[in-house]
Amino acid sequence: MPAAAAAPATASGPNRKDPRRRVLDAAARCFIRGGFHATSMHEVCAEAGMSPGALYRYFPSKEAIIIAIVEEERSARSALLAHLDSSATLVEALTLMGEALFSSDPPMVCVELGPEIAAEVSRNPRLRPVFDEVEDEMDAAFLRALEAAQARGEVDPALDRDHVMLMINALGDGIMLRRRLQPELPLAQMMPQIATLIGRMLAPPAPSVSSGASR
Amino acid sequence: MPAAAAAPATASGPNRKDPRRRVLDAAARCFIRGGFHATSMHEVCAEAGMSPGALYRYFPSKEAIIIAIVEEERSARSALLAHLDSSATLVEALTLMGEALFSSDPPMVCVELGPEIAAEVSRNPRLRPVFDEVEDEMDAAFLRALEAAQARGEVDPALDRDHVMLMINALGDGIMLRRRLQPELPLAQMMPQIATLIGRMLAPPAPSVSSGASR
DNA sequence: AAAGCGCGAACGAACGTTCGCTCTTGACTC
DNA sequence: GAGTCAAGAGCGAACGTTCGTTCGCGCTTT
């Protein structure tokens, strides 16, 4: 029985001990397959190997499960920002973040559910605070890194930081969206070249003095 | 009475004559508000000022309405590509396309429903052919324009066209997604600067000074 | 013996869709 | 022009199904 990690998660395996986790994982798989509103609780129960009665001991409603999943997605994505502080350059950080995002197997929930979550957050006010809290934090972290990169000369100081941030955020979201539409894209491999393109966009216009961004 | 275009579309008005149009417009408004699967047919009927019996004369099912809306969204987006042929530069074309996308009032369906449609297409095989047909056509048109821009020297001929296309496509989708999350963003005004950033990314490296691109 | 996890049948509500009816329309007869 | 009538647009109650959720009861564990 080698297929234990991505198995349908019946009542066997190490997750026997954490029913909440089991429900969340099962729900994520179902939601990826069918979306939030086209997935029934019975499906989630079946995927989790659990009866409705048992499941409702751990979550008061379907919406609570959705909120918990969005919460986890957000913090997973937020964790990627650690690369911003541990990398020498912004471009290197973006490369690492992208590779981490797209090389994970099974694919990360935030990659698979990105568009679904965006659509849901934009219309369900109960999800807004959950989403925004992390969003603001991420924006702040990125803004700091961007400012540092400008001070360092890696990024053109003349650039409007809000515009740059919108571009990078949009690119990230957009790539996840396109991955849903074309799962065969070898995104992890493409990250270095994509990050290089971003680097060209942000770099100061050809300086007469080549005091470069190199070490 | 200036509010005739975005009215709830009761049985009055000039659209009295085209019930199919009335249903599609009403459904689009409902789907933007609540998403495809969280919107009931009764809601659509109410919005269209029509009974279920009447509505089902024009569409055999809810899915047929969704398919028709996706079809329209695609062709509306595809129409934007005309700017590619009528503009002198790629950057100018992208600016015009972005401004057309985001300055329309009421906002275009493809802006409001973009993420929802992506999520739905990625999981409903019946939407795939509708989506892909236009997608392929758009990709081909953009590839042609990109090739021309490279020949012209506006875009670095050394760049991999597939990578560039992924970036531009992702950026477009990503900006629409972020607009859903932050509707207050003045996107139409930001387009020239965004397009300029894209231009910097694509431009050939400065001829006089060779800045060492690491890697 | 007590406690509580887990079960699955069952609930009321709401879903997408249908059906038999009324009302409107416009061409045809006289 | 008045009267007739077939055709179909539109209606809305009602259909069978499925939804999210509940509840009372066995079963396990201590």
Side-chain angles (χ1 to χ4, degrees):
Chain A
M1 296 277 157
T10 52
S12 63
N15 29 15
R16 182 103 186 79
K17 272 294 166 60
D18 190 352
R20 249 187 88 95
R21 188 61 283 128
R22 220 166 83 221
V23 170
L24 286 177
D25 291 343
R29 283 192 298 273
C30 289
F31 290 153
I32 288 169
R33 204 185 308 131
F36 290 139
H37 296 292
T39 297
S40 73
M41 290 301 277
H42 288 275
E43 280 179 68
V44 176
C45 289
E47 180 82 21
M50 209 181 267
S51 68
L55 189 149
Y56 273 86
R57 267 183 202 282
Y58 301 103
F59 292 93
S61 68
K62 186 183 188 180
E63 193 184 45
I65 298 180
I66 295 177
I67 290 178
I69 285 184
V70 171
E71 228 158 11
E72 290 202 341
E73 183 270 350
R74 291 265 92 192
S75 63
R77 194 194 287 210
S78 172
L80 289 176
L81 291 184
H83 288 295
L84 282 179
D85 295 322
S86 63
S87 298
T89 68
L90 194 66
V91 170
E92 183 191 322
L94 291 175
T95 310
L96 292 175
M97 287 168 63
E99 284 173 346
L101 253 184
F102 296 115
S103 65
S104 158
D105 188 64
M108 291 182 64
V109 171
C110 62
V111 176
E112 300 285 16
L113 277 181
E116 186 81 26
I117 288 178
E120 191 64 16
V121 167
S122 75
R123 76 170 77 99
N124 183 346
R126 307 256 265 250
L127 258 56
R128 258 267 117 82
V130 175
F131 187 89
D132 282 343
E133 191 192 349
V134 184
E135 182 83 351
D136 294 343
E137 183 185 311
M138 286 171 60
D139 280 358
F142 188 79
L143 208 63
R144 253 185 289 117
L146 187 57
E147 216 158 352
Q150 282 183 317
R152 194 192 313 137
E154 182 194 354
V155 171
D156 185 353
L159 290 180
D160 181 313
R161 281 190 288 275
D162 287 329
H163 281 87
V164 172
M165 238 175 53
L166 173 67
M167 294 276 288
I168 308 272
N169 276 333
L171 243 169
D173 290 338
I175 291 180
M176 292 185 215
L177 189 145
R178 293 212 79 79
R179 199 213 107 94
R180 279 296 286 174
L181 296 174
Q182 298 174 266
E184 75 281 2
L185 276 180
L187 283 176
Q189 298 166 39
M190 300 166 83
M191 282 319 298
Q193 295 165 80
I194 287 177
T196 302
L197 280 174
I198 296 179
R200 289 171 66 143
M201 172 171 75
L202 302 181
S208 49
V209 189
S210 65
S211 64
S214 51
R215 60 223 71 159
Chain B
M1 37 201 322
T10 51
S12 63
N15 30 15
R16 184 104 187 80
K17 274 294 166 56
D18 190 352
R20 249 186 89 96
R21 190 59 286 129
R22 220 166 83 221
V23 170
L24 285 177
D25 291 343
R29 282 192 298 272
C30 289
F31 291 153
I32 288 169
R33 205 185 307 133
F36 290 140
H37 296 291
T39 296
S40 74
M41 289 302 278
H42 288 275
E43 281 179 67
V44 176
C45 290
E47 180 82 21
M50 210 181 266
S51 70
L55 189 149
Y56 273 86
R57 266 182 203 282
Y58 302 104
F59 293 92
S61 68
K62 185 183 189 180
E63 194 185 44
I65 297 180
I66 295 177
I67 291 178
I69 284 185
V70 171
E71 228 159 11
E72 290 201 341
E73 182 272 347
R74 292 266 91 194
S75 63
R77 195 194 287 212
S78 172
L80 290 176
L81 291 183
H83 288 296
L84 283 179
D85 295 322
S86 63
S87 299
T89 67
L90 194 66
V91 170
E92 184 192 321
L94 291 175
T95 310
L96 292 176
M97 287 167 64
E99 284 173 346
L101 253 183
F102 296 114
S103 64
S104 158
D105 188 65
M108 291 182 63
V109 171
C110 63
V111 176
E112 300 285 16
L113 277 181
E116 185 81 27
I117 288 178
E120 191 63 17
V121 166
S122 75
R123 77 169 76 98
N124 183 347
R126 307 253 265 250
L127 258 56
R128 258 271 115 81
V130 175
F131 187 88
D132 281 343
E133 190 193 347
V134 184
E135 183 82 352
D136 294 344
E137 181 186 312
M138 286 171 60
D139 279 359
F142 188 78
L143 208 64
R144 253 185 290 118
L146 187 57
E147 217 158 351
Q150 283 183 319
R152 191 192 316 139
E154 183 194 353
V155 171
D156 186 354
L159 289 181
D160 181 315
R161 280 189 289 275
D162 288 330
H163 283 86
V164 172
M165 237 173 53
L166 174 66
M167 294 276 288
I168 307 271
N169 276 333
L171 243 170
D173 291 338
I175 290 181
M176 293 187 216
L177 189 145
R178 294 212 79 79
R179 200 214 107 95
R180 279 297 284 174
L181 297 174
Q182 300 174 263
E184 73 281 3
L185 276 180
L187 282 176
Q189 297 168 37
M190 299 166 83
M191 283 319 298
Q193 295 165 80
I194 288 178
T196 302
L197 281 173
I198 296 178
R200 290 171 65 143
M201 173 172 76
L202 302 182
S208 55
V209 182
S210 67
S211 71
S214 45
R215 294 195 87 91

